[in-house]
Amino acid sequence: MLQQIEGSRAVAEMVALCRPEVVCAYPISPQTHIIEALGAKVKRGDLAPCEFINVESEFAAMSVAIGASATGARVYTATASQGLLFMIEAVYNAAGLGLPVVMTLANRAIGAPINIWNDHSDAMAARDTGWVQLFAETNQEAADLHAQAFRLAEAVSLPVMVCMDGFILTHAIERVDLPSQEQVDAFLPGYRPRQLLDPAEPVSIGAMVGPEAFTEVRYLAHVRQLEALERIPEIAAEFCGHFGRCSGGLLRPYRLDGAELVVVALGSVLGTIKDTVDALRDEGARVGVLGITTFRPFPAEAVRAALADVRRVVVVEKAFSIGHGGVLTADVAGTVSDRAVPVATVVAGLGGRPITRASLRPVFQAAAAGRLEPLTFLDLDREVVERELARMASRHRSGPTAENVLRDLGAAGSKIL
Amino acid sequence: MTSPPSADPPASREGVKFYQVGSFAAGNRLLDPALRTVQADERRANSLTSGHRACQGCGEALGARYTLDAVMRATGGQMVAVNATGCLEVFSTPFPETSWRVPWLHSLFGNAPAVATGVAAALRAQGRTDVRVVAQAGDGGTVDIGFGCLSGMFERNDDVLFVCYDNEAYMNTGVQRSSATPPAARTATTEAVGPQPGNPFGQGKNLPLLAIAHDIPYVATATVADLHDLEAKVERAMAVRGARYLHVLVPCPLGWGSAPRDTVRLARLAKETGLFPVLEAEHGEVVRVSRIRHRQPVEEYLRPQGRYAHLFTASGAPARPDLIGGLQRIADRNVRRFGLLDGGDDEDQGRGSGDRAPAGADPAGASPRSPTGAG
């Protein structure tokens, strides 16, 4: 049914349709509206049987999810930013144990400086945890990916993280088509665990593994991720058949025909990028877009194929590896490393800074002309940076950097948001 | 596996008198079979079965075996166990061998209470409330790194029995101090050097009292010296729903520098000196304490332990009467606070009559090993 609905609520509706048996929640912006809506559903009795557990920390949230999943329950939780970091030990543990937990990550920057707005630093910090990481472009896709996430997680016995941009998606009210319970039930069968804490058949789960087997256990996790690479397009195709619309999959190519320059990105910024590219296409530029829906496992072969005829690549990233550069860039560059294709990084949208067509357009034009630096920080205020660098050079006790920068910006700072 | 022992409640032990022979094993054999311990029952579950790699004389292995077998009897074999990282986890699962004959999950060091909450939640959602959940950890996993999750599990009153096997330091990593380490004890991070050797006075955390402060349905302390008492407490714990906490003192020959044969003796001395009060609380109120039968000065408890060697000369005379006195004051305060000597006569001490309601016990602010009691 078509609804005008907030992204968070659409996700909550879809998660509820997936019949989770345990939902554990700890509040952190911008994920709160999702768990609030699920809490209300459980309390009203609309979602039953389901236990909604208000926990004391994100570390406990993921730990409750681990216990419940190992006991054979379908489990859901949501977090963001600092919350993901606070639970990270348990995030690794859920993947290591092969438990099919599904979690929404309402992408948000990581402090210090504390910042509640959107970027992808949190998702990138969890890149190597062993979780499947899917990125939603729209609220429709965010909702749809959750049904697919449960299917996938339970098929390969791995946890799946659905990444949706904080505020930009979670708090935006858009048109979303939500399926019926019957449709979801037909798509998502009940959970049949591969391992189970069961008094009738006692097993030990979580034993210490030494050098004699650790490599093999880790390799098997890799094999399961690669299996997910096979299953994701199948599940997406099945989803298309069931629901009459397509979401998910590995990649989202856009106007790649004859493209010499391709812009690669994750998440909701693809909308702005497509608008920018449309305008450039209208002017005759041979530009296309490649959205990455499945970030982990990384669909290297599919990316290689999509970029087969491309001469230049720009990766727009809402995060970066400080002291190095783009994170997604390295993955993308690996797929064209056998050809002389320059792959440039544009770091944009950090801490919620708007990414506008006006800013992207000259960057793409420079890239098309071969004039783009390997690493660009979109809309970077050089003057503010230079002032702080000068302050640090002039005296040792220059004070806290973030506060200095805010003081330099003065009232202008508040205009950005 | 063997069929689990009967879930029938045992006949009353009221009025049964034991003479103190250490483990009470001798007295146990003279009892009516229905009154004997779970461990004495050949049909016991052997939840933690033989072949594990605990040290000789390990108090934790004893405590876990007694506790889980008693849970198995109370639940008719319907139990899931969650384990924190630590000695118990490491020595029990050297795969391809495992000593667990119960469904058992180890996740992390600090999250066993929350994992157990998840297990309980899943069982509730599945309508399997016949299956009960036990979480277990050492003192590090309970009082330090697991405390946040434990407090959360307590305040939500989740249906979990959490058992702390307290050996008073991080033994698995090589005997480092925890916030359950008593004053003056030598650990690898509180060496017996300098003017105040060992762990400082005036620090530490008393988990039983913190558990009581959460007003949960049941809190008890016990030692591996009194098997009947420990099993009876497990039985009481399993008779109620909600968050329950059992704190078992488990001497560690490695960390305490004691002889493996002295594990049970030291556990008994911890109680008999007053350093470790054995008590029960229900819904925030202390309801029973186990009375001291033959009160001993703390020296008798300290002297056999290498971790207190710096308090004595080579011939066993007090070398640091000031520090020994500080520990004695802690014991004295516990005796006073919990009424550990009140009522009855020392020679007429049976199971039923040994448990007294506390005389004016004020749990808030009191402490079994109260660091503040040292003055």
Side-chain angles (χ1 to χ4, degrees):
Chain A
M1 189 174 72
L2 281 174
Q3 296 183 39
Q4 283 289 339
I5 189 169
E6 190 197 45
S8 295
R9 294 199 61 95
V11 166
E13 293 294 333
M14 183 61 100
V15 168
L17 289 168
C18 293
R19 301 188 189 272
E21 294 162 287
V22 174
V23 174
C24 34
Y26 187 81
I28 180 168
S29 298
Q31 140 278 27
T32 42
H33 292 184
I34 303 173
I35 54 146
E36 286 167 5
L38 284 166
K41 279 179 177 297
V42 174
K43 200 138 180 74
R44 275 196 302 266
D46 294 346
L47 174 54
C50 180
E51 297 290 324
F52 183 85
I53 316 275
N54 281 300
V55 291
E56 72 282 354
S57 72
E58 289 90 354
F59 179 61
M62 187 48 63
S63 302
V64 168
I66 287 167
S69 185
T71 312
R74 183 171 285 162
V75 187
Y76 172 81
T77 190
T79 194
S81 179
Q82 316 295 140
L84 181 73
L85 294 197
F86 197 62
M87 66 163 69
I88 200 78
E89 188 189 13
V91 170
Y92 272 87
N93 196 252
L97 292 171
L99 297 172
V101 176
V102 169
M103 174 165 72
T104 309
L105 184 66
N107 298 109
R108 166 182 151 180
I110 287 171
I114 185 169
N115 175 301
I116 65 164
W117 293 280
N118 168 248
D119 71 29
H120 290 168
S121 305
D122 51 6
M124 294 302 135
R127 182 191 65 176
D128 301 331
T129 54
W131 283 57
V132 172
Q133 290 183 299
L134 309 176
F135 276 80
E137 182 181 338
T138 64
N139 281 342
Q140 180 70 63
E141 188 165 57
D144 294 346
L145 281 179
H146 283 82
Q148 299 187 32
F150 281 109
R151 261 296 289 276
L152 177 68
E154 292 166 15
V156 295
S157 210
L158 282 178
V160 177
M161 191 182 296
V162 179
C163 301
M164 66 187 292
D165 285 313
F167 295 108
I168 295 169
L169 292 183
T170 57
H171 286 55
I173 294 173
E174 287 188 340
R175 194 179 77 155
V176 177
D177 190 2
L178 286 167
S180 67
Q181 185 66 66
E182 292 69 31
Q183 281 177 295
V184 176
D185 287 347
F187 175 73
L188 181 64
Y191 171 37
R192 289 171 49 239
R194 282 186 177 273
Q195 52 183 343
L196 185 61
L197 294 168
D198 179 5
E201 278 181 63
V203 290
S204 300
I205 304 175
M208 177 171 280
V209 173
E212 76 284 3
F214 198 81
T215 302
E216 286 69 24
V217 174
R218 273 283 177 270
Y219 179 75
L220 284 164
H222 179 62
V223 168
R224 297 231 289 283
Q225 281 260 341
L226 297 185
E227 187 193 337
L229 220 42
E230 309 279 312
R231 298 305 309 272
I232 288 166
E234 293 168 16
I235 290 170
E238 226 182 289
F239 186 92
C240 262
H242 266 83
F243 297 90
R245 65 171 176 278
C246 296
S247 285
L250 300 175
L251 301 175
R252 191 56 52 81
Y254 181 78
R255 302 190 82 165
L256 287 186
D257 289 352
E260 292 178 355
L261 169 69
V262 167
V263 182
V264 181
L266 299 160
S268 65
V269 73
L270 284 164
T272 310
I273 291 173
K274 288 174 186 174
D275 286 349
T276 312
V277 163
D278 282 343
L280 290 171
R281 276 273 183 179
D282 290 348
E283 294 160 23
R286 303 176 72 175
V287 191
V289 184
L290 185 63
I292 309 278
T293 309
T294 301
F295 174 60
R296 281 294 178 275
F298 187 70
E301 284 311 313
V303 172
R304 188 192 313 277
L307 300 180
D309 303 320
V310 168
R311 293 180 54 197
R312 297 176 195 287
V313 177
V314 171
V315 184
V316 177
E317 300 207 47
K318 289 187 176 185
F320 74 109
S321 173
I322 296 172
H324 178 60
V327 181
L328 177 59
T329 302
D331 296 341
V332 172
T335 69
V336 292
S337 56
D338 53 338
R339 295 185 292 135
V341 174
V343 181
T345 305
V346 176
V347 177
L350 297 185
R353 177 166 294 185
I355 301 174
T356 63
R357 281 178 291 172
S359 296
L360 288 177
R361 181 185 165 87
V363 171
F364 296 166
Q365 285 174 321
R371 288 185 284 102
L372 188 63
E373 295 290 316
L375 180 60
T376 304
F377 289 81
L378 194 71
D379 297 333
L380 181 72
D381 188 335
R382 289 265 170 215
E383 192 189 325
V384 164
V385 170
E386 293 303 332
R387 281 172 76 171
E388 174 63 3
L389 288 175
R391 194 160 29 229
M392 292 176 77
S394 70
R395 62 177 186 275
H396 179 75
R397 191 162 173 172
S398 54
T401 292
E403 287 70 13
N404 287 343
V405 167
L406 289 174
R407 202 175 297 114
D408 286 346
L409 281 171
S414 62
K415 286 180 199 160
I416 292 171
L417 303 159
Chain B
M1 63 185 290
T2 53
S3 59
S6 158
D8 293 341
S12 169
R13 294 191 186 92
E14 290 295 314
V16 172
K17 295 182 192 306
F18 287 106
Y19 291 91
Q20 193 153 329
V21 289
S23 67
F24 297 100
N28 188 63
R29 281 202 292 273
L30 301 175
L31 283 177
D32 181 281
L35 298 182
R36 291 180 196 166
T37 58
V38 176
Q39 281 303 301
D41 188 335
E42 62 181 13
R43 296 166 301 162
R44 67 175 186 236
N46 283 322
S47 313
L48 175 66
T49 198
S50 58
H52 59 67
R53 299 184 186 181
C55 304
Q56 194 179 27
C58 174
E60 188 173 37
L62 275 184
R65 188 154 61 84
Y66 297 168
T67 300
L68 295 188
D69 281 356
V71 173
M72 284 294 272
R73 177 154 90 175
T75 60
Q78 299 298 301
M79 177 181 79
V80 172
V82 173
N83 216 119
T85 307
C87 276
L88 180 59
E89 168 259 323
V90 172
F91 75 60
S92 63
T93 54
F95 259 73
E97 293 153 12
T98 175
S99 282
W100 300 106
R101 306 184 71 203
V102 296
W104 180 90
L105 172 63
H106 159 247
S107 172
L108 295 167
F109 198 3
N111 71 352
V115 173
T117 291
V119 174
L123 291 168
R124 208 159 50 238
Q126 295 161 354
R128 295 214 59 192
T129 48
D130 58 319
V131 182
R132 307 295 297 278
V133 188
V134 176
Q136 44 188 1
D139 50 290
T142 304
V143 303
D144 287 342
I145 198 168
F147 183 65
C149 287
L150 185 64
S151 180
M153 188 275 279
F154 283 165
E155 74 74 21
R156 288 185 304 268
N157 200 24
D158 294 325
D159 190 23
V160 172
L161 170 62
F162 192 93
V163 187
C164 171
Y165 304 110
D166 179 9
N167 55 24
E168 303 189 325
Y170 290 90
M171 302 314 185
N172 190 43
T173 46
V175 197
Q176 294 85 15
R177 176 211 186 261
S178 81
S179 64
T181 300
R186 178 266 166 200
T187 72
T189 51
T190 56
E191 283 290 355
V193 295
Q196 296 292 322
N199 197 37
F201 282 77
Q203 299 183 351
K205 195 188 289 183
N206 188 301
L207 232 293
L209 291 180
L210 286 164
I212 292 170
H214 285 75
D215 285 354
I216 56 177
Y218 186 75
V219 174
T221 62
T223 76
V224 288
D226 189 343
L227 179 52
H228 278 279
D229 178 66
L230 173 55
E231 290 187 353
K233 282 168 176 166
V234 171
E235 209 173 278
R236 269 178 226 134
M238 298 314 291
V240 291
R241 295 275 172 175
R244 290 144 291 139
Y245 180 69
L246 181 58
H247 190 107
V248 188
L249 185 72
V250 293
C252 169
L254 174 81
W256 292 18
S258 55
R261 67 173 180 277
D262 280 343
T263 292
V264 170
R265 183 164 80 98
L266 286 172
R268 187 164 64 250
L269 281 167
K271 182 216 167 196
E272 294 294 297
T273 53
L275 283 171
F276 186 83
V278 176
L279 52 80
E280 287 177 289
E282 293 172 6
H283 299 287
E285 309 276 344
V286 176
V287 294
R288 275 178 295 276
V289 298
S290 294
R291 206 165 52 80
I292 292 172
R293 298 169 61 163
H294 301 287
R295 190 158 186 213
Q296 305 282 325
V298 295
E299 286 102 301
E300 298 305 311
Y301 171 69
L302 305 175
R303 198 178 284 111
Q305 300 185 46
R307 62 175 173 161
Y308 295 115
H310 52 285
L311 305 183
F312 299 93
T313 65
S315 62
R320 291 297 301 262
D322 55 333
L323 300 182
I324 296 172
L327 290 162
Q328 185 63 55
R329 279 192 292 279
I330 293 173
D332 294 346
R333 182 167 183 261
N334 287 335
V335 168
R336 200 168 62 245
R337 287 249 178 188
F338 295 101
L340 300 179
L341 287 173
D342 296 348
D345 108 45
D346 279 358
E347 297 309 312
D348 182 24
Q349 177 67 61
R351 289 307 316 142
S353 58
D355 296 340
R356 303 286 180 192
D362 172 20
S367 165
R369 294 184 303 274
S370 174
T372 52

